[in-house]
Amino acid sequence: MRHFWYGALTALIVISGCKSNDKSPTATPTPSASAPAKSGPLAVKWVGKRFSIDGEKARGNFVVPSAPDGTTGLVVRSYLYDFPPGTKATFGGKTESVEAGKPLVQSADFIDKVAKLTLDDVQRKRVELELPLTVSYPGRGELKLKSPALRIAHAIAHDLTRAEKEPALYPGEKADAAGPLDTVAIIRVRSRSRRMRILGNGKTVSDIDWVAIEKTHGEPRNLECPRPGTKPRVIKLTDLEIAIFDRRTGKPVESKVFPGKAQCAPPAKGAKPVKTQREEVDSWLYSKLGIPEPPPSAVKPPSEVDHDLGEGKLPLKSAPLRRPPPGQPPAPADESDE
């Protein structure tokens, strides 16, 4: 009896194995749990100059570089990341397609908008350039976007330094503009950095008459301020050379060196404070323009001006660095924005 049941069980196992290995066309496969393809209109989420596609990995941002590829900085760059291959984007009048595993980088210039921009907006605010970006997303339709408000002071400052070699004119301007000389842009040059201050009565970029290039002159010097019972306090002094150029013609006007200045002790009570190096530079430029200096109360302290330009001050808390996904280049840095 035992042998009978053992043989029956063996036969059952063999039959089951044959059925499980059956690869005939009549066998029905197990249905796969594949995710349905996404459809419907595309929704965009904005955070500052960055945007993302709702429910997708696709994202992008806009950057105003200081001097791309050694050219002028009057350019906005559009970056598209993780868009499907074959996505087409039109920016700056040029249409290109996304390649697998690569960001799409495109550029559009805004030189034709510069002359009419107000100096207050350029220095202290984000400017609405509204450059159009059209993205054709495969299977999902078309997106029509515009570049968001961006800081461009550093780009304008960099472009104005052209006056050191050639006229820095913008579309719609003439080299022989009528009217008195009353506005100068002071461009502080430090390596790739460009900081700009405006002196005078001008309201728009086209009102700028002179460009004053500010550079360090010679090597820094040390001033030792004695302190009782301890080592002297050392203050580093830097001389500055200011070279004025006519913006519309590129011709040199005049240059002057201003020695670095510092005081070991504050002025006595009631005494008139000695002019700082920056105040001496400004007084000289006002006198060369032939216009009166504004009263001290109307001039912003340097720290406030630097803050408005988005330069010269460290943030209270640095933003954490974010590592890009493997194989993807880091997001571009913008000198003018967060």
Side-chain angles (χ1 to χ4, degrees):
M1 180 64 73
R2 179 182 301 175
H3 293 291
F4 172 79
W5 286 112
Y6 179 79
L9 180 61
T10 301
L12 181 61
I13 292 175
V14 171
I15 294 172
S16 299
C18 292
K19 287 185 177 180
S20 64
N21 293 328
D22 186 5
K23 297 182 179 179
S24 63
T26 58
T28 304
T30 304
S32 60
S34 58
K38 294 181 180 178
S39 60
L42 295 165
V44 178
K45 292 182 179 180
W46 285 93
V47 179
K49 59 184 181 180
R50 300 172 176 85
F51 68 90
S52 60
I53 307 300
D54 192 19
E56 302 280 358
K57 291 176 61 179
R59 56 197 170 87
N61 70 324
F62 294 87
V63 170
V64 180
S66 181
D69 307 322
T71 62
T72 66
L74 302 179
V75 167
V76 175
R77 280 181 176 164
S78 164
Y79 289 77
L80 299 183
Y81 296 98
D82 297 324
F83 276 77
T87 298
K88 292 185 178 181
T90 303
F91 191 60
K94 187 176 181 180
T95 300
E96 297 176 272
S97 297
V98 172
E99 297 181 20
K102 295 182 180 180
L104 178 60
V105 184
Q106 296 174 289
S107 298
D109 71 70
F110 57 93
I111 191 170
D112 59 325
K113 299 177 180 287
V114 172
K116 296 181 180 180
L117 295 176
T118 69
L119 293 171
D120 187 66
D121 286 350
V122 167
Q123 292 182 97
R124 297 179 173 86
K125 300 177 183 179
R126 290 178 173 85
V127 178
E128 297 279 2
L129 298 173
E130 297 188 333
L131 301 176
L133 168 66
T134 301
V135 180
S136 296
Y137 199 103
R140 299 289 301 277
E142 190 175 75
L143 282 175
K144 291 186 177 293
L145 308 176
K146 289 185 178 180
S147 60
L150 298 165
R151 292 193 186 277
I152 62 173
H154 61 293
I156 298 293
H158 196 287
D159 189 67
L160 286 172
T161 59
R162 290 189 294 127
E164 193 174 6
K165 299 178 181 179
E166 62 184 21
L169 290 172
Y170 299 108
E173 288 192 303
K174 296 181 180 179
D176 55 348
L181 301 175
D182 64 359
T183 306
V184 57
I186 308 169
I187 312 297
R188 182 183 179 187
V189 178
R190 296 288 188 275
S191 184
R192 285 177 57 86
S193 173
R194 300 292 184 270
R195 300 181 184 179
M196 178 172 64
R197 296 189 297 121
I198 303 293
L199 300 182
N201 304 324
K203 302 300 181 184
T204 66
V205 173
S206 63
D207 293 330
I208 296 174
D209 302 301
W210 288 347
V211 176
I213 308 295
E214 175 187 314
K215 298 180 180 179
T216 56
H217 180 82
E219 295 296 325
R221 297 172 285 106
N222 290 334
L223 171 66
E224 293 189 353
C225 295
R227 292 185 293 182
T230 185
K231 292 181 179 181
R233 180 166 61 97
V234 178
I235 301 175
K236 186 169 288 188
L237 303 178
T238 303
D239 297 344
L240 297 178
E241 180 181 7
I242 308 296
I244 306 173
F245 297 87
D246 187 300
R247 180 181 71 85
R248 299 181 182 90
T249 64
K251 294 180 179 179
V253 178
E254 191 172 339
S255 63
K256 184 176 179 179
V257 174
F258 293 82
K261 298 179 66 176
Q263 286 183 289
C264 289
K269 187 176 182 180
K272 186 178 181 180
V274 178
K275 278 188 174 182
T276 65
Q277 186 185 43
R278 173 177 282 193
E279 289 171 339
E280 287 192 343
V281 169
D282 292 358
S283 295
W284 178 67
L285 289 171
Y286 277 118
S287 67
K288 299 305 296 182
L289 286 170
I291 60 176
E293 293 186 54
S297 59
V299 180
K300 277 194 172 186
S303 60
E304 291 187 28
V305 173
D306 288 343
H307 175 74
D308 286 336
L309 294 179
E311 303 168 353
K313 293 183 72 177
L314 293 175
L316 296 178
K317 185 177 181 181
S318 298
L321 295 176
R322 291 178 291 181
R323 294 182 181 275
Q328 179 173 295
D334 180 3
E335 293 185 13
S336 68
D337 246 326
E338 63 275 1

